[in-house]
Amino acid sequence: MAKKVLRLVLILVPLMVLGIAGNWVYRVSKSFAGENAGIVDVWNGLANPRGQFPDVDKMTLLLIGQDYNHDNKGNQYSKNTRADTIMLMSVDLKSKKISAVSIPRDSKVTAEDGKSGKINGVYARGGVDLLERTLEAMFDITIDHHVIIKPDAVPKIVDSLGGIEVETIDEMNYDDNWADLHIHLPEGKQRINGKEAVGFVRFREVNRYRLDERGRMIPLRGVKGSKEEGDLRRVARQQQFIRALMNEANKASNLWQADRIINTGFEQIETSLTKMQVLALATIFKGTSGETMGGATLPGTDDMSGDAYYYVLDEERSKATVDWLIKGDEFAAKSLVRIAIKNSTDVKGAAKTAADILTQDGYRAWSDGNDPISQPLTEVIYYRAANEAQAKAIQALLGIAVVRKGTVTPDYTGPEITITLGTDVAQSIADRKESLSIRTP
């Protein structure tokens, strides 16, 4: 009897799984009616997602987040809107890796139509075509596809997933009744809903004034600033937002609701990708953690031109950033990484020699003095996921045992990687001084 039951289970369980999967594929296929894709097409797309991208291992996407315009009564409209988010993404279909470069929306550029101004104005003026041509000329790249996210996409997509997990480095408080934007998020890890996600990705500064009954700006006293202020923190949160979406979408509870989530997503984007290609990408990257997505923001400085604020790009470092994260040039990555080295031992010259070794290998490294607290183990600490590969390469180059991700968000003008030399390798590093062919100042 037991054997008969076992045989029955062995027969029924696969049939049940196929039945559930078939029902899921059927429901998903209903989302593709406009492309004449039936259940067989969807099944084949799921079974062979790479077939949607013949002879393509890697592609570059342009991600654009639209913002609303407002009329003089505070009503929202989206015609000729500026780009609130601009991001280049490298999508490696073979290695299943994604890397992103955020372009601050106030970046000063000369567009392909010959006009100079903020890059978000390029999109408002000439649409995705002009923005693509401008970025391709600036960075010598080819953009394969674009994805435009509509203004209401963030709350609707986040709510379709049941919320997302994010982390802030400080409180964020901002109110704008005219734009119906109210942001109140505490510091730390938290789960946020769609409306709160809008605040998470849009926050730029705290309220420093109020409007009186005549619409005049009245300064507020005793306002507490936030470490989350500014465009650089804003674009960092936007990248964190995408990683959080990837993590949430890969949860089992959401995979079984894929048809509903897919429908919500398609309603909120405009893209040059076909629906089948979008489904193929979702299949290829299913199970991939958002934490593996490397990202950076184009480096630059704040500048005022008259009454207008601009973000002036560091052209050399910006090009190197794109070469690294979009083109995959690891030499460019080395030239960008800033490494501060402290000596936590009594071995003289160890930090300077370590900096020389790394500089000779193409990094930007310097001795950052002595750490008064002696420690036995040397540590390589990186602060952004995008720098993990460089941290591990440095670990191997110097023979260091410990490499880990730092828990404190660094200053954008500071080092991307820090090294504290311990007694385990300090002497062996110092002994390599004579073999070096260069010396740093």
Side-chain angles (χ1 to χ4, degrees):
M1 182 65 180
K3 289 182 179 180
K4 289 183 179 180
V5 172
L6 179 60
R7 282 198 300 270
L8 185 62
V9 169
L10 291 175
I11 293 171
L12 288 179
V13 169
L15 289 175
M16 288 173 64
V17 171
L18 285 173
I20 293 170
N23 181 53
W24 183 86
V25 171
Y26 170 73
R27 288 186 287 123
V28 170
S29 69
K30 291 165 65 178
S31 304
F32 295 80
E35 295 188 4
N36 297 317
I39 187 169
V40 174
D41 298 302
V42 173
W43 190 281
N44 290 336
L46 292 170
N48 180 29
R50 289 292 301 275
Q52 295 295 320
F53 304 96
D55 302 319
V56 175
D57 288 333
K58 191 175 182 180
M59 60 186 178
T60 300
L61 303 181
L62 172 60
L63 182 69
I64 303 167
Q66 283 184 325
D67 196 2
Y68 275 122
N69 281 328
H70 295 83
D71 61 22
N72 57 9
K73 296 181 179 179
N75 298 316
Q76 297 175 329
Y77 63 95
S78 58
K79 184 179 180 180
N80 295 329
T81 55
R82 291 175 176 255
D84 190 56
T85 302
I86 303 172
M87 193 179 296
L88 291 169
M89 302 186 76
S90 173
V91 180
D92 194 317
L93 306 177
K94 192 173 183 180
S95 66
K96 299 184 180 181
K97 290 184 178 179
I98 298 175
S99 56
V101 174
S102 291
I103 305 168
R105 66 180 190 172
D106 292 323
S107 298
K108 190 173 185 179
V109 301
T110 299
E112 282 297 279
D113 61 359
K115 296 181 180 180
S116 296
K118 297 183 179 183
I119 196 165
N120 62 355
V122 175
Y123 176 69
R125 186 169 69 249
V128 67
D129 177 66
L130 180 59
L131 183 57
E132 280 188 353
R133 289 190 288 114
T134 299
L135 292 171
E136 288 178 335
M138 286 174 63
F139 299 114
D140 189 25
I141 59 174
T142 297
I143 295 172
D144 300 296
H145 294 285
H146 67 263
V147 178
I148 301 171
I149 302 174
K150 297 178 182 179
D152 290 330
V154 169
K156 291 184 177 180
I157 292 175
V158 170
D159 284 339
S160 75
L161 292 170
I164 58 173
E165 300 280 348
V166 298
E167 182 173 7
T168 62
I169 63 171
D170 202 353
E171 292 181 1
M172 294 189 287
N173 293 292
Y174 178 82
D175 289 286
D176 185 345
N177 292 328
W178 192 64
D180 192 27
L181 181 62
H182 302 279
I183 305 169
H184 298 285
L185 294 173
E187 176 187 348
K189 292 183 179 180
Q190 55 201 286
R191 189 169 189 84
I192 59 176
N193 60 29
K195 187 174 183 179
E196 291 167 329
V198 173
F200 181 79
V201 297
R202 293 194 61 184
F203 178 80
R204 297 179 76 185
E205 61 182 355
V206 300
N207 287 108
R208 288 183 165 81
Y209 64 88
R210 65 175 179 84
L211 297 178
D212 67 9
E213 63 278 1
R214 296 183 181 180
R216 295 176 299 187
M217 296 169 57
I218 309 299
L220 297 173
R221 296 183 179 182
V223 174
K224 179 186 176 183
S226 172
K227 296 175 185 176
E228 290 284 7
E229 293 186 84
D231 266 350
L232 293 181
R233 275 304 305 162
R234 188 169 183 265
V235 294
R237 290 195 306 275
Q238 290 169 353
Q239 291 189 9
Q240 184 189 161
F241 171 77
I242 292 175
R243 288 192 289 268
L245 284 181
M246 289 174 64
N247 289 336
E248 203 66 39
N250 277 310
K251 289 185 176 180
S253 58
N254 282 320
L255 289 176
W256 288 108
Q257 302 181 72
D259 57 323
R260 178 177 57 80
I261 295 170
I262 286 172
N263 282 331
T264 300
F266 281 143
E267 290 170 358
Q268 297 302 321
I269 65 171
E270 298 172 10
T271 179
S272 58
L273 292 160
T274 67
K275 286 186 175 182
M276 286 301 300
Q277 286 176 323
V278 174
L279 179 62
L281 286 175
T283 303
I284 291 169
F285 289 92
K286 182 181 68 175
T288 302
S289 169
E291 302 309 313
T292 62
M293 187 187 89
T297 302
L298 292 185
T301 55
D302 297 333
D303 184 60
M304 293 296 296
S305 180
D307 293 331
Y309 164 78
Y310 290 97
Y311 184 75
V312 180
L313 297 175
D314 181 323
E315 292 186 11
E316 181 180 355
R317 285 178 60 80
S318 291
K319 187 177 186 305
T321 300
V322 173
D323 286 348
W324 164 34
L325 289 170
I326 304 302
K327 297 182 181 180
D329 185 344
E330 284 303 316
F331 182 80
K334 287 184 178 181
S335 70
L336 281 167
V337 179
R338 294 167 294 195
I339 307 163
I341 307 170
K342 283 186 179 293
N343 189 352
S344 183
T345 75
D346 57 4
V347 179
K348 293 183 178 180
K352 175 67 167 60
T353 301
D356 285 355
I357 294 170
L358 294 176
T359 299
Q360 183 173 264
D361 203 54
Y363 296 98
R364 299 176 63 191
W366 65 91
S367 172
D368 201 27
N370 297 321
D371 190 330
I373 302 175
S374 179
Q375 64 181 52
L377 287 178
T378 299
E379 286 188 324
V380 178
I381 304 174
Y382 64 97
Y383 298 96
R384 300 181 182 93
N387 297 120
E388 182 179 6
Q390 290 82 43
K392 289 183 176 179
I394 291 167
Q395 176 190 26
L397 183 62
L398 297 179
I400 296 170
V402 180
V403 59
R404 62 181 177 87
K405 191 175 187 300
T407 56
V408 178
T409 302
D411 185 335
Y412 276 88
T413 61
E416 283 83 17
I417 294 175
T418 58
I419 301 173
T420 303
L421 295 177
T423 55
D424 57 335
V425 299
Q427 188 60 60
S428 63
I429 288 176
D431 291 342
R432 292 166 64 176
K433 179 178 180 180
E434 298 305 320
S435 64
L436 293 172
S437 60
I438 66 166
R439 295 288 181 270
T440 55

